[in-house]
């Protein structure tokens, strides 16, 4: 029983983080039909911001807000630097500019900060553990679950109830028609990047909080996770991204619990094999989403 | 209301619209007829700002709007119902309509009143307001896109093939509704396959052939002078 509770907590906290990461990637993909390969660097930027403001002695929550705000700004900057100038051109052009922007940010961190890990300030509560029904678990895991629930609810509310949310969902299926109703293209795209940055910033607090340090290449793993989660969930569907995130976390956590010790280092090989099987069974991902047409 | 002079537009090397000049007066209902591929839809998209003209001018309400963005055209008061019947399939009927009023989103009360008006005009939409747009029948989707276009409270409406693929009863309903909209003072540019019906309700008509204006005149003149069959077979 305790093993089961432990599993559920691990699965939900990892799944919550994965789901938020995937959502941040798919919100931009849905509208532009382009993958933002500089997405992982948003997490890096949040991490280095946290490191840079770490010495100021501000309360942690303020530092976290500053870091998340930087991630939002960097999300918007991605649009202006990597996407907007070449958006109307070929897919390949944007693919390359988003990779370039990612490399630029990573090298900036290498050059101006350090290739070595930098410690980031963490709130006291992250190091504490708590006992639930005989299971000892880090408080951080519970905070991750709570944050994921709150963020996902807010996100759902925004997309369902606010005009801008409805406009973003509309633009994801038919951008030209949304514009013919007066929805400004640039506003929608910038909002998508800002939300993407917000989600990346929020998730980075917990992601970086596990290790307590930031390195220039920190963004690669979250990008990969988000990408795989959206691919298995269905790239056209916001719900799909969330489902994909939780499914991927379920596989990861499940393998952690079931694989024998000496196979554990090959966990990713098992995970990806399962992902391939899922894709063979459902090539379009689990959630089809609306048939949407053209890249705009 | 709408003035188009010597307008050309196309897709890459294909010139779909070649030097078209037309006029839509205030409160007028003008129809544009022509065979498939005559450039009718491209002409409409160019006026609405969704397709960039290669040459020529478009004016709206006394303003030069050549190459204006689609969102600017809506703000100026031009609403478009495209041929492709673009409901947002995963948005509910109510959300589709709410988005139609995007440019007036601050006028909460007026938008609500218009929404009620639309539901009164199309009771079917009210019944299905919480259903996803993609689950509606073709006729209901057509009603939805017209109602959605009206939600922006436009001065002029571009209707591209509103009767396409609908049952005869629905076609009659749609045409009756177009007459009602005209009676409310809306200027309407109507592209139609159903030339006979379009000419019955229109004030004036243009005939488009291979991207050029082949004939123009009052609706009765065009109805009397042209062989409608040859019009559609491109003869």
């Amino acid at each position: 029983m305790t093993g089961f509770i432990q599993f559920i907590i691990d699965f939900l906290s990892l799944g919550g983080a994965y789901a938020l990461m995937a959502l941040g990637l798919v919100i931009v993909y849905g509208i532009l039909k382009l993958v933002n390969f500089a997405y992982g660097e948003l997490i890096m930027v949040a991490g280095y911001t946290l490191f840079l403001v770490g010495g100021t002695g501000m309360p942690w929550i303020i530092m976290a807000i500053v870091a998340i705000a930087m991630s939002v700004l960097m999300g918007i900057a991605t649009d202006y630097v990597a996407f907007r100038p070449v958006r109307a051109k070929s897919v390949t052009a944007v693919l390359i500019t988003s990779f370039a922007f990612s490399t630029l940010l990573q090298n900036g961190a290498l050059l101006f900060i350090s290739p070595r890990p930098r410690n980031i300030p963490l709130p006291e509560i992250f190091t504490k553990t708590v006992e639930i029904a005989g299971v000892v678990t880090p408080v951080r895991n519970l905070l991750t679950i709570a944050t994921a629930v709150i963020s996902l609810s807010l996100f759902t509310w925004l997309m369902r109830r606010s005009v801008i949310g409805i406009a973003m969902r509309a633009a994801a299926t038919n951008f030209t028609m949304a514009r013919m109703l007066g929805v400004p293209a640039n506003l929608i795209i910038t909002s998508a990047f800002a939300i993407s940055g917000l989600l990346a910033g929020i998730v980075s607090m917990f992601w970086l909080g596990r290790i307590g340090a930031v390195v220039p290449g920190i963004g690669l793993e979250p990008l990969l996770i988000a990408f795989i989660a959206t691919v298995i969930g269905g790239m056209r569907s916001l719900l799909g991204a969330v489902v994909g995130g939780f499914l991927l976390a379920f596989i990861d956590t499940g393998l952690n619990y079931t694989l024998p010790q000496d196979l554990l280092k090959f966990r990713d090989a098992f995970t990806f094999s399962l992902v391939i099987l899922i894709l063979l069974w459902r090539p379009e991902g689990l959630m089809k989403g609306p048939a949407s047409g053209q890249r705009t | 209301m709408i003035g188009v002079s010597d307008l050309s537009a196309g897709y890459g090397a294909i010139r779909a619209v070649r030097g078209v000049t037309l006029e839509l007066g205030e409160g007028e209902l003008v129809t544009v007829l022509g065979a498939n591929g005559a450039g009718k839809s491209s002409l409409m998209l160019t006026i609405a700002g969704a397709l960039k003209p290669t040459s020529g001018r478009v004016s709206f309400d006394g303003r030069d709007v050549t190459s204006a963005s689609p969102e600017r055209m809506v703000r100026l008061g031009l609403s478009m119902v495209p041929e492709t019947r673009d409901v947002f399939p995963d948005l509910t009927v109510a959300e589709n309509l709410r988005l139609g009023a995007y440019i007036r989103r601050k006028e909460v009360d007026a938008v609500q009143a218009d929404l009620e008006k639309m539901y009164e005009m199309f009771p079917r939409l009210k019944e299905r307001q919480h259903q996803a747009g993609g689950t509606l029948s073709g006729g209901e989707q057509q009603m939805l896109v017209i109602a959605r276009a009206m939600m922006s409270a436009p001065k002029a409406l571009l209707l591209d093939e509103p009767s396409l693929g609908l049952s005869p009863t629905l076609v009659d309903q749609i045409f009756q509704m177009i007459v009602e909209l005209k009676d409310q003072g809306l200027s309407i540019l109507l592209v139609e396959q159903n030339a006979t019906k379009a000419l019955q309700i229109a004030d004036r008509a243009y005939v488009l052939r291979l991207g050029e204006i082949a004939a123009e005149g009052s609706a009765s003149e065009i109805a009397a002078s042209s062989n409608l069959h040859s019009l559609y077979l491109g003869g």
Side-chain angles (χ1 to χ4, degrees), chain B residues 34-53:
Chain B
N36 274 332
K40 307 183 300 286
S41 294
S42 307
L43 173 65
M44 298 287 252
L45 287 172
T46 315
I47 297 172
L51 186 63
K52 294 282 162 253

Side-chain angles (χ1 to χ4, degrees), chain B residues 163-176 194 197:
Chain B
S163 75
L164 192 72
L166 299 186
S167 73
T169 337
L170 271 174
V171 172
D172 286 344
Q173 261 186 46
I174 297 276
F175 271 92
Q176 201 196 332
N194 194 333
K197 273 197 153 340

Side-chain angles (χ1 to χ4, degrees), chain B residues 17-142:
Chain B
V17 179
R18 304 160 180 235
V20 167
T21 299
L22 66 75
E23 190 86 32
L24 173 70
E26 205 167 331
E28 215 181 7
L29 171 53
V30 170
T31 182
V32 177
L33 308 171
N36 274 332
K40 307 183 300 286
S41 294
S42 307
L43 173 65
M44 298 287 252
L45 287 172
T46 315
I47 297 172
L51 186 63
K52 294 282 162 253
T54 45
S55 67
R57 309 223 70 80
V58 181
S59 71
F60 181 75
D61 212 5
R63 240 180 289 224
D64 180 46
V65 290
T66 315
S67 293
S69 67
E71 46 265 48
R72 170 140 187 266
M73 293 307 293
V74 184
R75 282 200 299 271
L76 289 174
L78 179 79
S79 205
M80 160 103 175
V81 175
E83 179 188 12
T84 36
R85 207 177 285 160
D86 294 311
V87 300
F88 297 113
D90 64 333
L91 265 58
T92 65
V93 169
E95 285 172 337
N96 265 283
L97 291 173
R98 192 168 163 208
L99 200 58
Y102 181 86
I103 56 165
R104 307 160 64 208
R105 60 195 179 284
K106 304 262 157 61
E107 312 160 27
V108 181
D109 294 339
V111 169
Q112 191 57 39
D114 277 6
L115 191 63
E116 294 303 325
K117 224 166 74 187
M118 288 305 146
Y119 283 151
E120 205 175 296
M121 208 162 172
F122 306 100
R124 288 297 278 280
L125 294 184
K126 183 167 188 165
E127 283 166 31
R128 292 170 197 258
Q129 55 180 310
H130 299 300
Q131 225 170 297
T135 64
L136 302 187
S137 72
E140 289 162 351
Q141 291 195 3
Q142 190 64 56

